[in-house]
């Protein structure tokens, strides 16, 4: 146990020493002219290059992704209708469909499906 502690402390010391040496030998500066110059356009931007991200758009995208995955799960349920036990198939598909309907109702109730916000 003692040997393992010594080895671990040596590994940590050597890795920290290598990080410190690489930071000291780094030739890059924070105000490098190539980094602060405009990229390929020839003019300085007057505003921030980043635009405000719409959370509403993100939520609609996530909802679309969830329903897309649900459709991908529903298609095999329909295709195995002929080869499975009818009672088990009905119980599983009904349970899954009820969960989907409850999720849709919850999203509708939270006004997450409004496209105009």
């Amino acid at each position: 146990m003692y040997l393992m502690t010594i080895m671990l402390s040596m590994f940590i010391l050597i890795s920290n020493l290598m990080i410190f040496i690489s930071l000291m030998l780094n030739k890059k500066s924070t105000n490098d002219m190539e980094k602060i110059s405009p990229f390929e356009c020839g003019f300085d931007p007057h505003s921030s290059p980043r635009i405000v991200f719409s959370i509403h758009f993100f939520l609609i995208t996530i909802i679309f992704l969830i329903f897309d995955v649900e459709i991908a799960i529903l298609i095999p349920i329909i295709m195995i209708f002929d080869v499975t036990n009818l009672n088990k198939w009905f119980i599983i598909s009904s349970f899954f469909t009820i969960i989907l309907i409850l999720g849709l109702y919850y999203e509708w109730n939270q006004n997450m499906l409004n496209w105009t916000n």
Side-chain angles (χ1 to χ4, degrees), residues 77 80-81 83-96:
I77 288 176
I80 63 168
F81 175 73
V83 294
T84 59
N85 184 1
L86 187 61
N87 291 334
K88 289 180 182 178
W89 181 87
F90 183 74
I91 290 170
I92 291 171
S93 61
S94 298
F95 183 69
F96 187 71

Side-chain angles (χ1 to χ4, degrees), residues 55-65 112-115:
I55 292 294
H56 184 69
F57 175 75
F58 177 73
L59 290 175
I60 289 175
T61 306
I62 294 297
I63 291 170
F64 173 76
L65 180 67
M112 295 177 81
L113 299 177
N114 283 341
W115 291 84

